[in-house]
Amino acid sequence: MATKQKSRSKQAKSITLEGSTEIVTDFFKFAVNAILYHRNVYPADDFHMVKKYGQVVLVTQDLGLERYIDTVLAQVKEWLNSGSITQLVIAIVARESQLTLERWVFDIKLTLPPLATAESQSQSLPAPKPDSEIQSEIRAIIKQIISSNTFLPNLNEPTYFTVLAYTHDNPVTPAGDMSKPPSLWVDSDPLAIEQEKSQQVRLKSFDTQIHKIDAMVSYRHE
């Protein structure tokens, strides 16, 4: 009696738009925390250590700040899925003078149209990129943030941070203050540093094959 053999086709596990969005959103969460800790925007006692990307990183244990970051990133996640966000900026501002001291800029390029069909995705995507390679690229950026005190000026005055998201080239920022999570976003000043007083350091990038993130930091140099 002949037996039927099941045909098995090996399909490469290409990353999906949703999967890429999760990776990028997760990266932003740990990048923001690293910036706030290593640039002394919040006290060191407000953070605790966790293991991520094969290394120890610090995340806030301040519940108010944690809720704020999570709520901001929930909106960023929606924009990532829709392909409407082009840049995320973390601006560090001096409390007294209100001068922008640093702008951590993450350019976001969607390399795959967000409304592409499953068929077009399979045709347009290159060979799947190993997750270990993506994690390695992210780890390199986090390490640069961790070591930022070696190439950025010391911040010797009280500061606060603002999140700016560029959607269709318009900068918007969460409405309200840190006392409660943002319920809406409003048009914002870009909080730029005057060109003649700005120095830039280009950081590394990572690419999920759907989203490409290029990072840099500009700082005030008097």
Side-chain angles (χ1 to χ4, degrees):
M1 181 177 177
T3 58
K4 294 181 179 180
Q5 294 183 345
K6 295 181 179 179
S7 61
R8 297 181 179 177
S9 59
K10 293 184 178 179
Q11 297 180 346
K13 293 183 178 179
S14 298
I15 191 170
T16 63
L17 175 60
E18 291 75 16
S20 177
T21 294
E22 288 288 346
I23 290 173
V24 175
T25 304
D26 213 31
F27 161 74
F28 283 145
K29 175 181 178 179
F30 288 97
V32 170
N33 273 277
I35 291 167
L36 298 182
Y37 175 81
H38 290 283
R39 300 307 293 149
N40 301 315
V41 179
Y42 281 81
D45 290 345
D46 285 357
F47 295 82
H48 68 284
M49 293 183 293
V50 298
K51 190 75 176 291
K52 186 69 177 180
Y53 307 122
Q55 64 184 24
V56 173
V57 295
L58 289 124
V59 295
T60 183
Q61 52 190 0
D62 180 308
L63 295 181
L65 178 58
E66 182 181 10
R67 284 195 300 269
Y68 184 85
I69 293 173
D70 287 347
T71 306
V72 167
L73 292 182
Q75 178 62 70
V76 170
K77 184 176 180 179
E78 290 184 20
W79 285 330
L80 285 167
N81 268 321
S82 66
S84 59
I85 186 170
T86 59
Q87 191 179 88
L88 190 73
V89 177
I90 310 301
I92 299 179
V93 182
R95 286 191 180 275
E96 184 174 345
S97 66
Q98 292 297 298
L99 290 173
T100 302
L101 303 179
E102 294 177 5
R103 292 178 93 252
W104 293 80
V105 180
F106 301 93
D107 287 321
I108 303 164
K109 182 180 179 182
L110 185 66
T111 57
L112 181 71
L115 298 180
T117 63
E119 181 180 357
S120 66
Q121 285 188 24
S122 63
Q123 291 174 350
S124 60
L125 280 177
K129 187 174 186 177
D131 182 66
S132 58
E133 186 176 342
I134 298 173
Q135 298 295 306
S136 177
E137 292 174 353
I138 292 175
R139 183 163 58 248
I141 301 176
I142 297 295
K143 284 183 176 179
Q144 287 182 308
I145 296 173
I146 291 173
S147 65
S148 60
N149 289 338
T150 65
F151 58 82
L152 293 178
N154 292 330
L155 299 179
N156 297 317
E157 56 186 308
T159 58
Y160 66 91
F161 81 102
T162 296
V163 179
L164 299 171
Y166 284 73
T167 57
H168 303 300
D169 298 325
N170 293 320
V172 293
T173 190
D177 54 33
M178 288 292 302
S179 63
K180 58 183 179 180
S183 58
L184 73 159
W185 293 62
V186 295
D187 291 343
S188 171
D189 181 282
L191 298 176
I193 302 172
E194 303 91 321
Q195 186 174 358
E196 67 275 10
K197 296 182 179 180
S198 176
Q199 297 288 329
Q200 297 182 353
V201 178
R202 186 154 296 280
L203 307 178
K204 295 183 181 294
S205 62
F206 77 92
D207 188 350
T208 68
Q209 293 185 313
I210 292 180
H211 294 102
K212 186 174 188 295
I213 310 299
D214 292 308
M216 61 87 67
V217 57
S218 60
Y219 61 93
R220 180 172 294 276
H221 181 71
E222 299 289 355

